[in-house]
Amino acid sequence: MTARDDDTIGFYTDNAGAYTSRGQAPDRPQLEEFLARLPDGATVLELGCGGGQDSEFMLAAGFDVHPTDGTPDIAKAAEARLGIPVKTLLFEDIGDSDRYDGVWANACLLHVPRPALPGIIGRIHAALKRGGVFYASFKAGEAEGRDTFGRYYNYPSKAWLEDLYGQLGWTSLEIEARMGSGYDKLPTDWLHVTATKS
């Protein structure tokens, strides 16, 4: 089962310039909560870094950040902004083991087809050091579908995510529901998931 949706990748490829130049601010509340759980100077893998604003915030705070994105043009734009290498990385190609203190996956794993998501979470779990912290955010729902731009979303419920994460060894799992928005500027129910590796 592939972990990517070609129509979604196509959207980000076709709209890379607009997507990365819209002046998006870092996701401060979630970032600050995530970073507070990590040791000073911790090594962080960012998945789906987009324009690079979250990596920029973490770098400024003194963390060893490894930003990645699945779309080459977006990775290139983030690299220009950050001044450090940004790797083009698809989720199914995560192959590190016990390397990172934290994995930051803000608004990106929500595009992974439901059948492929357990394997991706497993790869992230393996990439974390013991006690490592994994943050991801999802648009909440009950069934997978597409938005007005044709992007695929897995739209999970809290119970569905609890089930999914429960298949791996985490010492803690916190799922918080918050109202927000996204690229489409529509009101959106978000689920923010923070898990710590045992």
Side-chain angles (χ1 to χ4, degrees):
M1 175 68 205
T2 182
R4 65 184 180 272
D5 177 79
D6 289 338
D7 289 343
T8 304
I9 291 279
F11 167 84
Y12 287 112
T13 299
D14 293 345
N15 295 278
Y19 191 79
T20 58
S21 63
R22 59 198 165 123
Q24 192 179 10
D27 204 343
R28 286 289 290 269
Q30 282 78 33
L31 264 174
E32 288 168 350
E33 289 170 21
F34 169 74
L35 296 176
R37 299 169 188 257
L38 302 179
D40 290 346
T43 302
V44 178
L45 171 66
E46 181 176 10
L47 300 172
C49 73
Q53 66 277 353
D54 290 351
S55 274
E56 187 174 62
F57 182 89
M58 290 188 275
L59 287 164
F63 290 88
D64 176 19
V65 186
H66 299 247
T68 69
D69 199 274
T71 306
D73 289 350
I74 288 181
K76 199 177 296 180
E79 188 169 292
R81 174 177 183 160
L82 297 170
I84 62 170
V86 176
K87 186 177 179 182
T88 299
L89 179 71
L90 297 171
F91 303 132
E92 64 261 42
D93 295 331
I94 299 167
D96 294 308
S97 182
D98 300 311
R99 180 174 179 188
Y100 300 103
D101 299 296
V103 174
W104 176 259
N106 188 31
C108 60
L109 296 180
L110 39 63
H111 293 310
V112 176
R114 283 190 176 206
L117 197 53
I120 300 304
I121 301 288
R123 286 179 175 274
I124 291 167
H125 185 273
L128 282 166
K129 297 176 184 175
R130 184 186 179 94
V133 180
F134 167 39
Y135 168 86
S137 56
F138 299 86
K139 290 187 177 184
E142 296 296 334
E144 58 193 338
R146 294 188 182 274
D147 71 358
T148 54
F149 297 111
R151 298 178 296 178
Y152 169 89
Y153 284 88
N154 45 42
Y155 292 126
S157 66
K158 182 178 179 182
W160 193 88
L161 287 171
E162 285 170 341
D163 238 21
L164 171 63
Y165 277 75
Q167 297 170 31
L168 292 164
W170 307 99
T171 54
S172 69
L173 175 65
E174 301 164 35
I175 302 178
E176 184 182 359
R178 293 184 187 171
M179 181 59 75
S181 189
Y183 185 71
D184 57 11
K185 297 185 169 48
L186 297 174
T188 304
D189 292 315
W190 287 87
L191 294 172
H192 301 272
V193 187
T194 305
T196 304
K197 182 176 178 177
S198 57

